[in-house]
Amino acid sequence: MDIKIKKLQRKDYNKVINFATEGMHFQNFIGNNKTLLYLYSKCFLYEEMLEATQILAAYNKNEVLGILIANMKGRKKKYYSLGKKIYVKIGLFIQNTFFKSNAAQFDIACDEMFEEYKKTNNPDGEIAYLAVDPNSVGQGVGTKLLEAFEKDKKGKLIFLYTDDLCTYQFYDKRGFDRPIEKDIILHSLSTHKPMDVKCMLYNKIIK
C-alpha cells in the first residue's frame, strides 16, 4: 500500500464521517438508527474542523484511508465556514435535547480530566480527531498520519482524549503517556444495557 498524506478532499467528507461512526462506536451514544448516526458523526466532524489548525488525510491513490485533525496554540483556525457553524449549532441542539445523558456525560468527563491535567501541564496542542478506515486498520495508516503531524512539532506537548471503546492501545505503542483516567457508566442505546467506560487523557512531548 502506497500511503500519501494530502489535503482532505471535500468529496471524501462522507467517508471519514463513516470511519468515525464505526471506529468511535457512536451507536452506543445515540443508537443504531443510520440517519441519526450519520447526522451525529457529521456534527462531530464539523465541530472539530471549526476549531482545527491542521487537517491531514491519508490516501492510497485516490482512496481516503484516514484523517487527523489537530488544534495547535497560536496557529490560525483555517477551516471555518458559516455552513459548518450553522450545522453544528443545530446538531448540538438536537444532541443536548435528545441524547444528553450519554454524549454530554462523556464531554463532562473530558472537561474534568483536563481541569485536573492543566494544574501541572501547559499543552501546546490537541489531536482532536484521528479516524482510520476500519478495513485498513493495522496497515500503518494511523502511524503515517501521526508521523506527518509530529514532523514540525519537536518539543511540543500534545494531548488527546479517547476511551476503552476505541483502539487506545495505538497510543500506548507510540510513546504516549496516560496521566489521567476517569470511569463513567453509560446506558448503551444499541444494547439498552449499562456500560462501564474508561475515559482517558493521553499526552506526549514530541521528540
Side-chain angles (χ1 to χ4, degrees), residues 3 33 48 67 76 100 149 151:
I3 301 172
N33 182 286
E48 299 302 344
I67 180 177
K76 184 179 178 181
K100 186 174 182 179
F149 167 72
K151 187 174 291 186

Side-chain angles (χ1 to χ4, degrees), residues 75-86:
R75 298 194 183 182
K76 184 179 178 181
K77 293 175 171 50
K78 300 182 292 185
Y79 304 92
Y80 177 90
S81 77
L82 181 59
K84 291 188 184 73
K85 184 71 174 180
I86 293 171

Side-chain angles (χ1 to χ4, degrees), residues 7 19 24 30 55 72 100 105 112 127 134-135 181:
K7 178 181 178 180
F19 297 167
M24 298 181 183
I30 64 169
I55 299 179
M72 299 296 296
K100 186 174 182 179
Q105 189 175 350
E112 290 176 349
I127 296 176
N135 296 320
E181 300 176 355

